[in-house]
Amino acid sequence: GCWLVGNGNTSGNLVVKFQTGPTNWTDPDYWTVRVSRLDSDGHVYQSQGYYYPFDALRNPFHSVIEPTIEWKEAQLQSEDAGLTHTFDVSTTTFSIKLESGKTTTGMTQMTTKTNPQKITNVFVLMLENHSFDNIFALSNIPGITKATTANTNTYQQNNYTIRGPAPTCMPVDPGHEFPDVVEQLCGDGKKFVSGQPYPTITNSGFVANYAQDSTPVPSGDYGNVMACFNTSTQLPVIYKLATEFAICDHWFSSMPGPTWPNRYFVHGGSSSNLDHSPSQALMAKWMSVDGFSYEHGSVYDALQAKDLTWRLYIDEKGPKSGSFAQVASLERIDQARDVYDIAQFKEDLKWPYGPRYTFIEPNYGDAGGDFSGGSSQHPRDGMQRGEALIKQVYEAIRNSPAWMSSMLIVTYDEHGGFYDSVKPGGATKPGDSVFGDGALNLNEYGFQFDKYGARVPAVVISPYISKGVVSHTLYDHSSVPRTLEVMFGTRSLTERDKSAKDLTPLLAEHLPRTDCVTSLTLGPADVALAPRSAEEQAQHDAEPLPESGNEIGFLHVAVKSELSLARDAAERDAIRDKVAQIRTRGELRAYLEQVRKRIAAHRAAQGLMTSIET
């Protein structure tokens, strides 16, 4: 539990259940307590102690196990049972009065009221494919920069303006590859020419691009990319958090393109020159390396260099093919070893939570099909399951001991082809070398990464953030590694994150708030698209594997994961041969599910926690 107690008052109840005896090491006679004292001048003091978090038992693969030094252990004896014990806290001493004796530790001044080091745990939940205006333009949140009915797109002499409510499921997924975004931002028919400046941005081509999608769009649906949610009623979870904490209305995707390069920016302040979705042409090369790499490493490498731990979660609830984590495509990160099911997140937070940084991914839905059934809020997948994931993550943190020292960032990787009214400006070039120092040319269009992509929603949550904050500061996904650099002293990775704005100015000078909502309410169910018939599914499964896209990216993660589990070189060669024979979407889905089962069996054999069905 977590309580804020005034001077001389009591709170609780904290009930400690324990067993005694030398054979009960798995259910020990210890409890752990962390106490923070905040004085009237805003100084923060924390109890001293030495406690190793549960990482050491549940994940023996990690080489760095960070002692959580501010948790004080107290040993219990039989004479302590059935009694109420009290704490005494001052700026110098913390003591627990037990019948069996008194346990005492010192207090350390951690911060002043303006020092961002009061945050010891940063959490990021990144969802999929929505622009800021699509989520918030009709929210009626005071003070935000948003689209109005004066913002229009014209296509075939018809004007389209913003309207509501937005459909929760799109019949056709709006384009968001690099050429699509050029046309959306710059106008019907506009193209980017390598070696020349990015075309003038007018935000005028969203409808034209959608109307000319390779999948036919009914003319009556052209305006759907201009539609915005009635946020307070359709998306009450993110609306509540945006109004209770801080909404950032100038958070841009890191480049004008699709999911994968934008997600790489949150992990490393760069996409190593990747300006498009993963392609089959890269698969053969990717299968011969250890994973996607950065010249200067990722945030996870930077944290480990400081002996700071991190943790990764993904939502396993949904199609198994959608539970491959994009972050597991990185070098030195493994799906089987490093990625946990979000279903155990709440239980994990009941322990002293050591990881300084936690990154959370949604379930991406049917990754061999239309991405339905997940929680990513993909335009073809609906919104409510994603709202439920935001609710799950927030409530787990809010009602845990980690809450008083936490910051949660909820954002989206890119705009997904939906209209936004604010023109993205120039961005700092990352300045790092291309992937493998030229061994792999990931740059298809000649883009120099000197321009942001469209705005995306971003909400920042902490007990140290005042209610109803609207931040107009320019952020992009590189603001996440920059925030870790400021808070924890990790190294800069690229020129982009080095120059990015960090989030610590959002932390107010007041003591932690006591009025933060403890639970959130879901809105109405999605108006879902009709599921495929058996005949339609069979036809879809028979379709050739696309040349590029998210499916190819997840195939890469699955191959990388299975290669890591192979026993020898001969088995690795057999895996590559098997993957080379995948020709259709149905074969891809079958392979993804096969690898998930193998990962689950491996984790079970290692004694690691998993809720994945085998």
Side-chain angles (χ1 to χ4, degrees):
C2 179
W3 298 272
L4 187 67
V5 185
N7 199 28
N9 296 325
T10 60
S11 189
N13 288 328
L14 169 65
V15 179
V16 183
K17 298 180 179 180
F18 65 99
Q19 294 178 334
T20 59
T23 63
N24 288 308
W25 70 272
T26 58
D27 191 9
D29 52 344
Y30 285 89
W31 62 340
T32 57
V33 184
R34 181 175 67 179
V35 171
S36 296
R37 178 183 172 95
L38 302 101
D39 65 21
S40 58
D41 293 325
H43 297 296
V44 179
Y45 301 82
Q46 284 192 347
S47 53
Q48 300 168 353
Y50 196 69
Y51 174 79
Y52 281 96
F54 65 97
D55 305 57
L57 293 177
R58 67 176 267 186
N59 196 344
F61 292 105
H62 277 306
S63 60
V64 177
I65 303 298
E66 180 191 357
T68 310
I69 59 172
E70 65 267 22
W71 287 81
K72 173 61 180 173
E73 285 187 340
Q75 188 173 19
L76 299 167
Q77 305 296 335
S78 57
E79 56 264 39
D80 300 317
L83 300 177
T84 298
H85 307 284
T86 59
F87 304 159
D88 282 342
V89 188
S90 71
T91 57
T92 59
T93 306
F94 166 53
S95 63
I96 307 171
K97 298 178 180 179
L98 300 173
E99 187 68 20
S100 58
K102 187 175 182 180
T103 180
T104 301
T105 188
M107 298 285 288
T108 300
Q109 182 175 332
M110 304 294 291
T111 69
T112 65
K113 61 182 177 180
T114 57
N115 189 336
Q117 290 290 74
K118 65 183 75 171
I119 301 298
T120 59
N121 305 99
V122 176
F123 303 85
V124 174
L125 169 59
M126 179 171 273
L127 300 164
E128 285 275 295
N129 297 28
H130 289 275
S131 71
F132 182 89
D133 278 334
N134 178 242
I135 297 292
F136 285 119
L138 298 183
S139 66
N140 292 319
I141 295 176
I144 63 172
T145 303
K146 62 182 181 180
T148 69
T149 53
N151 297 106
T152 62
N153 271 197
T154 300
Y155 178 66
Q156 293 183 340
Q157 299 182 333
N158 293 314
N159 289 330
Y160 298 86
T161 187
I162 67 160
R163 57 178 174 80
T168 54
C169 298
M170 294 285 281
V172 176
D173 182 21
H176 43 274
E177 288 292 337
F178 185 86
D180 294 310
V181 183
V182 173
E183 186 171 46
Q184 290 160 6
L185 292 177
C186 306
D188 188 4
K190 296 294 184 181
K191 299 182 184 301
F192 176 82
V193 179
S194 179
Q196 295 186 12
Y198 201 84
T200 301
I201 292 178
T202 59
N203 291 24
S204 63
F206 289 84
V207 173
N209 181 261
Y210 189 52
Q212 299 171 78
D213 195 279
S214 58
T215 302
V217 178
S219 60
D221 291 340
Y222 290 171
N224 281 349
V225 292
M226 303 289 290
C228 306
F229 290 99
N230 291 335
T231 320
S232 61
T233 55
Q234 288 183 282
L235 307 175
V237 171
I238 198 165
Y239 173 81
K240 184 69 172 178
L241 295 176
T243 53
E244 287 289 322
F245 299 98
I247 182 172
C248 303
D249 66 358
H250 280 73
W251 188 302
F252 292 85
S253 49
S254 292
M255 59 85 63
T259 287
W260 285 68
N262 274 297
R263 283 183 175 265
Y264 283 137
F265 268 88
V266 81
H267 302 313
S270 168
S271 65
S272 293
N273 226 29
L274 180 70
D275 60 3
H276 59 282
S277 292
S279 65
Q280 287 197 47
L282 289 175
M283 272 299 299
K285 297 177 181 179
W286 261 349
M287 285 196 294
S288 65
V289 298
D290 293 329
F292 187 93
S293 69
Y294 304 89
E295 181 181 12
H296 304 296
S298 68
V299 293
Y300 312 101
D301 298 319
L303 286 161
Q304 189 153 328
K306 294 281 291 185
D307 289 340
L308 301 175
T309 53
W310 44 266
R311 185 161 297 137
L312 307 170
Y313 290 92
I314 192 168
D315 183 9
E316 297 280 2
K317 187 178 181 181
K320 294 295 183 283
S321 61
S323 57
F324 284 92
Q326 190 269 347
V327 68
S329 66
L330 297 186
E331 189 177 39
R332 292 181 292 278
I333 293 184
D334 184 76
Q335 177 90 20
R337 179 190 66 206
D338 297 316
V339 183
Y340 296 97
D341 186 354
I342 195 64
Q344 65 195 53
F345 184 56
K346 180 179 179 180
E347 184 66 26
D348 291 350
L349 283 167
K350 292 180 180 179
W351 295 69
Y353 193 78
R356 292 295 184 248
Y357 179 58
T358 301
F359 187 78
I360 302 165
E361 296 189 47
N363 186 293
Y364 294 99
D366 180 5
D370 59 2
F371 299 97
S372 63
S375 55
S376 72
Q377 297 188 334
H378 187 280
R380 293 275 295 163
D381 192 24
M383 302 297 289
Q384 191 187 59
R385 285 184 294 270
E387 282 266 288
L389 178 60
I390 300 171
K391 168 182 165 70
Q392 177 184 0
V393 169
Y394 170 76
E395 290 178 357
I397 300 169
R398 171 63 183 90
N399 299 301
S400 78
W403 169 247
M404 284 298 185
S405 57
S406 73
M407 173 186 283
L408 167 63
I409 304 161
V410 179
T411 189
Y412 291 71
D413 53 15
E414 39 91 5
H415 73 298
F418 291 104
Y419 176 78
D420 194 77
S421 58
V422 175
K423 300 174 184 179
T428 300
K429 296 179 183 180
D432 54 343
S433 298
V434 298
F435 185 100
D437 195 23
L440 286 177
N441 181 15
L442 300 181
N443 194 280
E444 180 175 339
Y445 300 103
F447 181 59
Q448 297 297 305
F449 297 90
D450 54 357
K451 185 75 67 176
Y452 292 115
R455 276 193 315 170
V456 292
V459 176
V460 184
I461 298 150
S462 172
Y464 290 95
I465 293 178
S466 301
K467 184 174 181 176
V469 171
V470 176
S471 174
H472 304 306
T473 301
L474 192 155
Y475 300 109
D476 81 307
H477 301 327
S478 299
S479 293
V480 172
R482 181 59 186 159
T483 298
L484 302 182
E485 292 157 20
V486 171
M487 285 187 172
F488 306 136
T490 54
R491 66 175 184 266
S492 298
L493 304 171
T494 69
E495 292 301 314
R496 174 69 71 86
D497 64 277
K498 186 177 180 180
S499 65
K501 297 294 185 181
D502 71 275
L503 297 168
T504 58
L506 295 176
L507 302 173
E509 297 184 1
H510 57 61
L511 301 184
R513 288 168 51 192
T514 60
D515 63 343
C516 301
V517 59
T518 58
S519 63
L520 301 168
T521 302
L522 283 176
D526 294 326
V527 179
L529 302 173
R532 291 191 181 100
S533 65
E535 181 180 355
E536 290 171 333
Q537 186 63 54
Q539 291 175 348
H540 179 83
D541 287 346
E543 291 177 0
L545 201 63
E547 288 298 317
S548 65
N550 289 334
E551 294 112 315
I552 303 301
F554 291 127
L555 175 58
H556 161 58
V557 175
V559 173
K560 178 173 176 285
S561 301
E562 191 173 27
L563 289 173
S564 75
L565 299 176
R567 292 177 290 272
D568 51 38
E571 185 179 0
R572 286 189 286 274
D573 288 341
I575 290 170
R576 294 187 181 99
D577 290 341
K578 174 178 59 177
V579 172
Q581 301 306 311
I582 296 176
R583 297 285 188 269
T584 67
R585 280 193 158 108
E587 291 168 352
L588 168 64
R589 183 188 296 106
Y591 176 70
L592 294 178
E593 293 181 359
Q594 171 195 326
V595 176
R596 287 303 300 157
K597 290 180 180 180
R598 182 168 184 178
I599 290 172
H602 168 78
R603 291 176 66 83
Q606 296 294 322
L608 300 178
M609 296 183 181
T610 181
S611 64
I612 305 166
E613 296 178 3
T614 59

